[in-house]
Amino acid sequence: MQSVGGAEPILFVHSLFLSYIFTVSTINSHSDMARVYIEELSKHVGEEVAIRGWVYNKRSSGKIRFIVVRDGTGLLQCVMVKGMIPDDVFNHFDSLTQESSLTVIGKIKKDDRAPGGYEMELSNLQVISIAKEYPITPKEHGVDFLMDHRHLWLRSSRQHAILRIRHQIITAIREFFDNHGFILMDAPIFTPAACEGTSTLFETDYFDLGKAYLTQSGQLYGEAGAIALGKIYVFGPTFRAEKSKTRRHLTEFWMVEPEVAFNDLNDNMELAEEFLEHVVASVLKYRSQELKTLERNTKFLENVKKPLPKISYTEAVDILKKKGISFEWGNDFGGTDETVISEQFDRPVIVHRYPAQVKAFYMKRDPQNEALALAMDVLAPEGYGEIIGGSQREDDYDTLVKRIHEHGLPQSAFEWYLDLRRYGSVPHAGFGLGVERTVGWICGLDHVRETIPFPRMIYRLTP
Amino acid sequence: MQSVGGAEPILFVHSLFLSYIFTVSTINSHSDMARVYIEELSKHVGEEVAIRGWVYNKRSSGKIRFIVVRDGTGLLQCVMVKGMIPDDVFNHFDSLTQESSLTVIGKIKKDDRAPGGYEMELSNLQVISIAKEYPITPKEHGVDFLMDHRHLWLRSSRQHAILRIRHQIITAIREFFDNHGFILMDAPIFTPAACEGTSTLFETDYFDLGKAYLTQSGQLYGEAGAIALGKIYVFGPTFRAEKSKTRRHLTEFWMVEPEVAFNDLNDNMELAEEFLEHVVASVLKYRSQELKTLERNTKFLENVKKPLPKISYTEAVDILKKKGISFEWGNDFGGTDETVISEQFDRPVIVHRYPAQVKAFYMKRDPQNEALALAMDVLAPEGYGEIIGGSQREDDYDTLVKRIHEHGLPQSAFEWYLDLRRYGSVPHAGFGLGVERTVGWICGLDHVRETIPFPRMIYRLTP
């Protein structure tokens, strides 16, 4: 019984609309009672504790009143029986609206039937603030309505689960690189030129220096970092002013981009699969409860173990042709093509050696076939498409100059980048993983808009 | 003997200028030899290993040749003796210029006199790429020259030390919040309105929705997160289009902003001091070598333990007056004032309860004195000034509406923010810590420009 918007069914026996009032908390009288969060209750069974939170749900049954309280870390059912506690406390029940803030005090007992597994025998209740009529109700809300109320929508169990999994993914990403000797290398957001053309760039005035462009990728800076420090990762927001309204596009999204000196394409693919295995395993291990909340079938996630299947672009084209899709060798895959290819596998698949003509100027060509770039993409299963794109980089000075000119880019803007080939050039490779697409895939979401707290899209800049 | 730019003295007995050539690596013949990084050499004493890196330094003494190799993780002195290895290997020595890339193969032995503590008895050497004459030499370079070559400057030991400490600081920040149950809450970079006025905002066209402004702080979004999830932290780049040319100002800088539901000003100060203690202790523990490289006196860093001294704004004004500085109660502190105040302490000092008139609209007033805001700043010692700014937030709907109007802000832009007071308002507080100022303080740097890989300032947008 999950509405599309994620507001869980809620039963208000007395759904009064009360005017907005602010009641000064009297929590001070309990200041000797340590603050406890619901997620820590297993350590407090049998104790009297104070929990501060919000009314998530309430119901009434004869002389018994149930209040489900959320505190951001979990849900706790609080029970009070008329006559067992002072009337002035008991009578607060009627005034409590959804999302009203309060302190509940009482003894904790284990109860497997209760949400979260614990229950409070309420002995005191202090109202902090009675909420106005809450806009998000159990009825089905349209997506626009929920997005307009994103700051409130974030309070639902579904959004909590997604944000916790997002947090786990980002933690696991950093953990992987930190434990493998990579140094964090924050690339600049303001850049003087485009990495891959200027048509999809956001620009801003930059004092007397003309225009600055918001980064689309930290990769070129990451290459400087890899030659300086051996192994680095860039991790920050990136921006694309694409006029795409698909379920996979945000204008602002987070990307992690490792870059390793002396790595070739094979090393790069191995790094990607080891990395993905770690990230997915970390979510399966630490966020199983959240995956359950999202009703995520984890069968394919459990398959994410190295080695992942690897096919060449040409083999991928053959798959499309066998599926009766008209596709000409040499073109880039569209979203639908990626979906069809990835659906042939029960785990992520690595596609390598793309036609150079559809890839960026900085990619090294395959010495076995100059028409191919030493590129790799990782396509997520279940139709989620590309989550990783990477390559071995061109490390020969003359060849790189030639590519810059072939792509119609101004050499002057890339002199610093060419320096990396003038002074101690080495083979090197790296990739970028899009955080939001990865969150979408691991959570099993239909649309990337729920993967980040406040998504930005072509038609969405608020709240 | 440290030049201002950080390029370490280097002795080239044969400082030939060689034309740029690319020599194909023959490392494949050693592909069965595991890749080893210099930082791991303690595990390989007595073994023959291959190290891939760059020439940092070389010198010659009779029949002996020394090459100091850097691989991004450390320095390794490699020794070869004429007659002990094939002449064609030995003769590579003459061609090696600073920053040329190469593979060195040989047996590792412990040698306390060598940089890093280990030495390689070189048995083979393969040149990957001979570097052109390297622009950064032991002579003193001007700051502009070094900033123009920032992508190369990053290869110096001094910059390595700073970047590793930066990495450690960021790791420790995340570790602290992750271990204390905070959820990461990425705030949007594109915002429809300003948090604290519009004069210092970067703006960009945003499709058909008009202008978007680059965030100056994720705090308002963080407040929505705290009410949803209890405890959150925002961590990302923020932007200020201030026309400031001081040693403390970047146009783009990273900020971490925790926000906690039910915290008041006192809780906020305690959180800040516990947090700072953790971050500084982590650097002292894991990056002592890098602090030595920077010749950092760590005496004051070792004092960063809770509780930190706490003084009111009024007490801080008294300090200024006692120092003979003319300062009127009610004004905001300037950089010099902060320096004078912080110099009175041998550890960070927390200044609280500022005049409301110099602080932001969203700060709660002190119930004891309506002229004061429940604000707090943390000033770093040794003249580094403000590294943390925070406050308890106004949680009363009517008061907040009044403040918005008093500050001449459009209420319509803040309706979503007011919703946090309409629906379950609770006391809450948070703060922001500027990463670059913290890196500058902990590393003991004169200028914030060295605290981030590619700094952006009013007059600097490249490389």
Side-chain angles (χ1 to χ4, degrees):
Chain A
M1 263 294 293
Q2 170 79 40
S3 69
V4 73
E8 284 72 17
I10 209 159
L11 173 66
F12 274 95
V13 176
H14 308 274
S15 75
L16 298 174
F17 175 73
L18 289 170
S19 66
Y20 180 87
I21 57 165
F22 188 88
T23 310
V24 174
S25 165
T26 54
I27 187 67
N28 288 337
S29 59
H30 290 270
S31 60
D32 53 335
M33 204 176 277
R35 188 189 310 194
V36 171
Y37 286 95
I38 292 171
E39 66 182 354
E40 306 162 332
L41 285 180
S42 63
K43 290 180 270 176
H44 297 277
V45 175
E47 292 174 27
E48 178 162 83
V49 301
I51 298 279
R52 293 184 270 187
W54 297 265
V55 174
Y56 198 67
N57 201 335
K58 71 173 189 179
R59 70 197 159 84
S60 175
S61 173
K63 287 186 169 182
I64 309 177
R65 302 289 178 273
F66 299 93
I67 308 167
V68 177
V69 171
R70 67 165 193 89
D71 74 346
T73 75
L75 297 176
L76 174 65
Q77 179 161 283
C78 306
V79 185
M80 54 182 174
V81 182
K82 192 169 173 68
M84 305 285 280
I85 57 171
D87 279 355
D88 60 329
V89 173
F90 189 86
N91 291 339
H92 277 311
F93 180 86
D94 288 350
S95 69
L96 293 174
T97 53
Q98 189 184 355
E99 284 300 320
S100 290
S101 49
L102 77 178
T103 304
V104 287
I105 295 164
K107 195 184 273 187
I108 299 301
K109 57 174 199 176
K110 197 155 168 43
D111 186 334
D112 292 336
R113 298 161 306 170
Y118 299 93
E119 200 172 70
M120 173 183 275
E121 288 171 1
L122 218 148
S123 58
N124 202 351
L125 182 165
Q126 292 151 357
V127 175
I128 299 172
S129 170
I130 294 291
K132 284 184 128 177
E133 193 174 25
Y134 196 61
I136 303 181
T137 62
K139 73 169 186 181
E140 300 252 335
H141 295 287
V143 164
D144 277 348
F145 179 87
L146 289 166
M147 291 298 293
D148 286 342
H149 294 84
R150 183 67 178 164
H151 52 293
L152 302 178
W153 190 19
L154 292 176
R155 300 181 186 183
S156 78
S157 291
R158 174 181 165 86
Q159 300 305 317
H160 281 200
I162 296 170
L163 288 181
R164 285 174 189 280
I165 290 171
R166 177 186 173 92
H167 184 181
Q168 191 65 40
I169 289 169
I170 290 172
T171 301
I173 287 171
R174 294 185 176 267
E175 194 175 66
F176 178 85
F177 291 119
D178 292 352
N179 291 344
H180 285 75
F182 288 67
I183 300 294
L184 172 66
M185 180 94 186
D186 293 305
I189 307 296
F190 289 133
T191 63
C195 179
E196 302 178 51
T198 57
S199 62
T200 57
L201 286 170
F202 289 103
E203 65 175 39
T204 184
D205 289 327
Y206 199 86
F207 307 107
D208 299 333
L209 300 179
K211 297 285 184 192
Y213 302 93
L214 301 192
T215 184
Q216 293 195 315
S217 158
Q219 178 205 315
L220 304 195
Y221 294 97
E223 289 184 52
I227 309 298
L229 291 152
K231 302 188 272 194
I232 63 88
Y233 66 102
V234 175
F235 198 174
T238 54
F239 306 87
R240 300 239 171 129
E242 274 182 281
K243 292 191 172 164
S244 299
K245 287 194 185 186
T246 83
R247 62 189 177 85
R248 292 182 186 173
H249 284 87
L250 296 170
T251 57
E252 129 185 0
F253 56 100
W254 287 69
M255 191 146 66
V256 60
E257 299 175 278
E259 189 79 27
V260 184
F262 300 104
N263 264 11
D264 62 15
L265 179 65
N266 283 337
D267 299 324
N268 207 32
M269 291 195 283
E270 278 174 31
L271 182 68
E273 61 193 0
E274 196 178 337
F275 165 67
L276 267 188
E277 176 175 334
H278 175 81
V279 171
V280 173
S282 177
V283 175
L284 289 173
K285 183 171 176 186
Y286 296 108
R287 297 297 177 189
S288 61
Q289 198 53 53
E290 285 79 1
L291 290 168
K292 260 183 216 138
T293 299
L294 298 173
E295 297 173 8
R296 177 68 168 131
N297 181 339
T298 59
K299 198 179 73 178
F300 285 3
L301 296 177
E302 282 152 20
N303 290 339
V304 183
K305 300 210 184 302
K306 64 176 178 177
L308 296 175
K310 298 177 189 70
I311 60 171
S312 69
Y313 166 89
T314 303
E315 288 167 326
V317 171
D318 288 345
I319 288 174
L320 292 179
K321 285 182 175 160
K322 269 182 206 147
K323 289 278 152 188
I325 290 164
S326 134
F327 185 90
E328 200 174 332
W329 194 102
N331 290 339
D332 202 0
F333 298 131
T336 315
D337 303 320
E338 286 178 358
T339 299
V340 172
I341 297 161
S342 68
E343 278 174 354
Q344 310 312 306
F345 298 88
D346 63 355
R347 61 200 70 198
V349 55
I350 305 184
V351 183
H352 57 81
R353 292 180 172 78
Y354 283 71
Q357 69 206 45
V358 300
K359 289 292 183 182
F361 74 94
Y362 50 72
M363 293 190 183
K364 193 173 178 69
R365 300 288 173 93
D366 186 350
Q368 311 295 316
N369 180 350
E370 276 284 312
L372 299 177
L374 291 174
M376 52 164 266
D377 284 356
V378 182
L379 309 183
E382 302 167 81
Y384 280 95
E386 183 193 332
I387 49 170
I388 283 181
S391 71
Q392 186 173 340
R393 321 305 187 184
E394 183 52 69
D395 51 8
D396 178 62
Y397 176 86
D398 293 327
T399 308
L400 187 57
V401 169
K402 199 174 113 193
R403 300 278 179 254
I404 287 170
H405 290 282
E406 281 170 4
H407 280 76
L409 296 167
Q411 185 177 332
S412 60
F414 294 95
E415 285 298 341
W416 73 268
Y417 184 63
L418 287 164
D419 276 355
L420 307 179
R421 281 73 181 171
R422 287 188 184 100
Y423 307 112
S425 189
V426 298
H428 60 291
F431 61 81
L433 169 122
V435 169
E436 285 72 21
R437 287 189 184 180
T438 305
V439 174
W441 160 51
I442 291 179
C443 291
L445 306 179
D446 290 338
H447 196 292
V448 80
R449 68 182 155 234
E450 283 182 80
T451 62
I452 187 167
F454 294 92
R456 294 296 181 245
M457 293 167 283
I458 178 169
Y459 46 84
R460 167 67 59 187
L461 185 57
T462 52
Chain B
M1 265 289 295
Q2 169 81 37
S3 68
V4 73
E8 285 72 16
I10 209 161
L11 172 68
F12 274 94
V13 177
H14 309 275
S15 76
L16 300 174
F17 175 71
L18 290 169
S19 66
Y20 180 86
I21 58 167
F22 189 84
T23 311
V24 174
S25 164
T26 55
I27 188 66
N28 288 338
S29 60
H30 291 270
S31 60
D32 53 336
M33 203 176 279
R35 187 189 310 195
V36 171
Y37 285 96
I38 292 171
E39 67 181 355
E40 306 162 333
L41 285 181
S42 63
K43 288 180 272 175
H44 297 277
V45 174
E47 292 175 26
E48 177 161 83
V49 302
I51 298 278
R52 292 184 271 186
W54 296 265
V55 174
Y56 197 66
N57 200 336
K58 71 175 189 178
R59 68 196 160 86
S60 173
S61 172
K63 286 186 169 181
I64 309 178
R65 301 289 178 274
F66 298 93
I67 308 168
V68 177
V69 172
R70 68 165 192 88
D71 75 345
T73 75
L75 296 176
L76 175 65
Q77 179 162 282
C78 306
V79 184
M80 56 181 174
V81 182
K82 192 171 172 67
M84 305 284 279
I85 56 169
D87 279 355
D88 60 329
V89 174
F90 189 85
N91 292 338
H92 276 312
F93 180 85
D94 289 351
S95 69
L96 293 175
T97 52
Q98 188 183 355
E99 285 299 321
S100 289
S101 49
L102 77 179
T103 304
V104 288
I105 295 163
K107 196 185 272 186
I108 298 301
K109 57 174 200 177
K110 197 154 167 46
D111 186 334
D112 292 337
R113 299 161 306 171
Y118 299 93
E119 199 172 71
M120 174 183 275
E121 289 171 359
L122 216 148
S123 58
N124 203 350
L125 182 164
Q126 292 152 356
V127 175
I128 299 171
S129 171
I130 295 292
K132 282 183 132 179
E133 193 175 23
Y134 196 61
I136 302 180
T137 63
K139 73 169 186 184
E140 299 251 335
H141 295 286
V143 164
D144 276 350
F145 179 86
L146 289 166
M147 291 298 293
D148 286 342
H149 293 84
R150 183 69 178 162
H151 53 294
L152 302 178
W153 191 19
L154 293 176
R155 300 181 188 184
S156 78
S157 292
R158 175 181 164 85
Q159 300 305 318
H160 282 201
I162 297 169
L163 288 181
R164 285 174 190 281
I165 290 171
R166 177 187 172 90
H167 184 181
Q168 191 65 40
I169 289 169
I170 290 172
T171 301
I173 288 171
R174 293 185 179 270
E175 196 173 65
F176 178 84
F177 291 119
D178 292 352
N179 291 345
H180 286 75
F182 288 67
I183 299 294
L184 171 66
M185 181 93 187
D186 294 304
I189 307 296
F190 289 133
T191 63
C195 179
E196 301 179 53
T198 58
S199 62
T200 57
L201 286 170
F202 289 103
E203 64 174 40
T204 185
D205 289 327
Y206 199 86
F207 307 107
D208 299 334
L209 299 180
K211 298 282 184 194
Y213 302 93
L214 302 192
T215 183
Q216 294 195 314
S217 159
Q219 178 205 313
L220 304 196
Y221 295 97
E223 289 183 50
I227 309 298
L229 291 152
K231 301 188 271 194
I232 63 88
Y233 66 105
V234 175
F235 199 174
T238 54
F239 305 87
R240 300 239 171 129
E242 274 183 279
K243 291 192 172 164
S244 299
K245 287 193 184 187
T246 84
R247 62 189 177 86
R248 291 182 188 174
H249 283 88
L250 295 170
T251 56
E252 121 184 7
F253 57 100
W254 286 68
M255 192 146 66
V256 61
E257 299 175 278
E259 189 79 29
V260 184
F262 301 103
N263 264 11
D264 62 15
L265 179 66
N266 283 338
D267 300 323
N268 208 31
M269 292 195 281
E270 278 174 33
L271 182 68
E273 61 191 1
E274 196 179 338
F275 165 67
L276 267 188
E277 175 176 335
H278 175 82
V279 170
V280 173
S282 177
V283 175
L284 289 172
K285 183 170 178 187
Y286 296 108
R287 297 297 176 189
S288 61
Q289 198 53 54
E290 285 79 2
L291 290 168
K292 262 185 212 134
T293 298
L294 298 173
E295 296 174 7
R296 177 68 168 131
N297 181 339
T298 58
K299 197 180 74 178
F300 284 3
L301 295 177
E302 282 152 19
N303 291 338
V304 184
K305 300 211 185 301
K306 62 177 179 176
L308 295 175
K310 298 178 189 72
I311 60 171
S312 69
Y313 166 89
T314 303
E315 290 167 324
V317 171
D318 288 344
I319 288 175
L320 292 179
K321 286 183 175 161
K322 271 182 203 148
K323 288 278 151 189
I325 291 165
S326 131
F327 185 91
E328 200 175 332
W329 196 101
N331 289 339
D332 203 1
F333 298 132
T336 315
D337 304 319
E338 287 179 358
T339 299
V340 171
I341 297 161
S342 68
E343 277 173 354
Q344 309 312 308
F345 298 88
D346 64 355
R347 61 201 69 200
V349 55
I350 305 185
V351 182
H352 56 82
R353 292 181 171 77
Y354 283 70
Q357 68 205 46
V358 301
K359 290 292 184 183
F361 74 95
Y362 50 72
M363 293 190 182
K364 192 172 178 70
R365 300 289 173 91
D366 186 351
Q368 311 296 316
N369 181 349
E370 276 284 313
L372 299 176
L374 292 174
M376 53 165 265
D377 283 356
V378 182
L379 309 182
E382 301 168 82
Y384 280 94
E386 183 194 332
I387 48 171
I388 283 180
S391 72
Q392 186 172 340
R393 322 305 188 185
E394 182 52 70
D395 51 8
D396 178 63
Y397 176 86
D398 293 327
T399 308
L400 187 57
V401 168
K402 200 174 113 195
R403 301 278 178 253
I404 287 170
H405 289 283
E406 281 170 4
H407 280 76
L409 296 167
Q411 185 177 332
S412 60
F414 294 94
E415 285 299 341
W416 73 268
Y417 184 62
L418 288 165
D419 275 355
L420 307 179
R421 282 73 181 170
R422 287 188 184 99
Y423 307 111
S425 189
V426 299
H428 60 291
F431 61 80
L433 170 123
V435 169
E436 284 71 23
R437 288 190 183 179
T438 305
V439 174
W441 159 52
I442 291 180
C443 290
L445 307 179
D446 290 338
H447 196 294
V448 78
R449 68 182 156 235
E450 285 182 78
T451 61
I452 187 168
F454 293 92
R456 294 296 183 244
M457 292 166 284
I458 176 170
Y459 46 82
R460 169 66 58 188
L461 185 58
T462 52

